Amino acid sequence: MNTPDELADTSCGFIALVGAPNAGKSTLLNALVGTKVSIVTHKAQTTRSQVRGVLTLDSAQLVFVDTPGIFAPKKRLERAMVENAWGGAGDSDIVAFILDADRGVTPDIETLLEGLENIRQPKVLILNKIDTVKHESLLALSQSLNERLRFEATFMLSALKGHGVKDFIDWCIKHIPPGPWHFPEDHLTDLTMAITAAEITREKLFLRVHDEIPYNATVETESFKIQKDGSYKIDQVVYVSRESHKKIVLGAGGQTIKAIGAESRRELMEMYEVPIHLFLFVKVREKWADDPERYREMGLEFPSGKA
């Protein structure tokens, strides 16, 4: 953290990344921070609560907040996720609206734009995935959206390829408020190692069986121990809501869960640079999406009303 003499010379700002599901927010967060702090899958709504990625450059600290995708919620978990996303936007210094430029303005985006009209913070527009769209279409889309809302700046980038990301970072550094840093200089995320490990396994789960189980399947780290030899022993449970889903996750002869574990272990070893002993279990927990305790564990508020 900063010393008292340094406080007057430092700046720190929270930048909320908001958008529809699969707009590329998690990919952008990882590109901004320079390492993986948020899971990325092709299954919509995999980011469930706010994930903060921290980038400290010289005297400036940027805290990027990856929020759940905003959409028209139908179930209780979905309502909690959308409320969490708008809460992240309302608590930030800058709101970055990320739009999949290839998909354009859909009915879901129209609803999101109406919500953004009520956000008082400075807003910037980010057109993502520009490598898939013609330049003329990008200009027309940018003009249309800037006529609809007042954006302080517009950025056209490819989060996946890293094109244009530095321009956005440079702009943020110039527009965040002065003040002390919120995290140590070498901090990359506010997630604990146990939660990060669970998120990595959840990503591998969805990448492996995304067409066969609903996205409300979850992974919890029950034990995270540092062994005497420096290796990590991690026990995790994959929770599903039905017995039929358990069979899918296990696979014939346990092959699917073994493959998920191997992929997760490989990435965790690369991330932590120590041997990883990962043990996965699959359990059925019916109606877990109606349990307030599960929401608290995910950093979400339990919505009132019917599921």
Side-chain angles (χ1 to χ4, degrees):
M1 301 295 286
N2 313 86
T3 64
D5 292 339
E6 295 172 324
L7 296 183
D9 299 323
T10 60
S11 58
C12 183
F14 285 73
I15 302 98
L17 308 178
V18 303
N22 280 356
K25 298 183 300 301
S26 297
T27 302
L28 177 58
L29 175 65
N30 295 337
L32 290 165
V33 178
T35 189
K36 185 171 188 172
V37 295
S38 190
I39 69 173
V40 179
T41 80
H42 42 274
K43 192 175 184 69
Q45 298 125 36
T46 47
T47 299
R48 290 179 177 160
S49 60
Q50 298 170 26
V51 178
R52 294 174 181 85
V54 183
L55 178 65
T56 303
L57 295 172
D58 297 323
S59 62
Q61 185 170 87
L62 305 175
V63 184
F64 297 102
V65 185
D66 181 17
T67 64
I70 297 174
F71 57 104
K74 298 178 181 178
K75 299 179 180 180
R76 177 174 280 135
L77 176 60
E78 294 174 347
R79 293 208 312 274
M81 291 161 55
V82 171
E83 289 172 8
N84 185 271
W86 283 123
D91 292 338
S92 64
D93 297 297
I94 299 168
V95 175
F97 170 48
I98 294 95
L99 178 69
D100 181 337
D102 189 34
R103 197 177 302 167
V105 179
T106 62
D108 282 346
I109 297 299
E110 289 288 351
T111 301
L112 206 158
L113 289 169
E114 292 174 4
L116 284 172
E117 291 175 356
N118 300 319
I119 297 295
R120 58 179 176 78
Q121 285 85 347
K123 295 178 282 287
V124 299
L125 172 63
I126 295 181
L127 299 181
N128 189 24
K129 308 180 183 180
I130 60 169
D131 48 315
T132 63
V133 184
K134 291 183 178 179
H135 184 66
E136 296 78 10
S137 299
L138 287 171
L139 293 177
L141 181 59
S142 172
Q143 181 178 346
S144 173
L145 289 168
N146 275 278
E147 290 173 354
R148 175 79 176 269
L149 278 178
R150 183 176 183 274
F151 292 107
E152 302 296 322
T154 298
F155 299 91
M156 301 183 185
L157 54 80
S158 170
L160 185 62
K161 297 183 177 180
H163 300 162
V165 173
K166 185 178 183 300
D167 292 338
F168 176 50
I169 291 173
D170 291 343
W171 186 92
C172 289
I173 289 174
K174 295 176 182 177
H175 291 84
I176 58 174
W181 295 345
H182 285 256
F183 298 94
E185 185 174 358
D186 58 352
H187 219 67
L188 296 176
T189 178
D190 63 341
L191 297 181
T192 66
M193 294 172 70
I195 294 176
T196 299
E199 287 291 273
I200 294 297
T201 301
R202 188 162 67 96
E203 177 187 67
K204 306 312 175 190
L205 169 71
F206 285 142
L207 289 174
R208 176 72 56 165
V209 293
H210 72 283
D211 288 329
E212 301 163 278
I213 63 171
Y215 76 90
N216 65 2
T218 193
V219 178
E220 294 181 9
T221 299
E222 290 200 330
S223 174
F224 193 115
K225 296 180 179 178
I226 301 177
Q227 310 284 74
K228 290 182 179 180
D229 62 359
S231 64
Y232 297 165
K233 180 179 180 294
I234 307 171
D235 294 337
Q236 295 180 334
V237 179
V238 178
Y239 284 106
V240 293
S241 56
R242 296 180 183 178
E243 192 67 36
S244 59
H245 296 156
K246 178 180 179 180
K247 293 178 181 178
I248 292 170
V249 174
L250 288 172
Q255 291 304 306
T256 301
I257 194 66
K258 287 179 182 177
I260 293 169
E263 292 165 3
S264 181
R265 184 183 300 108
R266 188 178 305 114
E267 181 158 330
L268 289 169
M269 288 177 66
E270 292 176 358
M271 180 179 293
Y272 295 130
E273 299 181 335
V274 298
I276 301 289
H277 308 288
L278 177 63
F279 300 91
L280 297 182
F281 306 90
V282 185
K283 297 181 181 180
V284 177
R285 186 159 61 188
E286 295 181 359
K287 296 183 179 180
W288 74 265
D290 296 326
D291 183 354
E293 181 62 28
R294 304 280 81 82
Y295 285 72
R296 284 191 288 271
E297 291 174 354
M298 290 187 287
L300 297 173
E301 292 289 332
F302 185 74
S304 59
K306 295 181 179 179

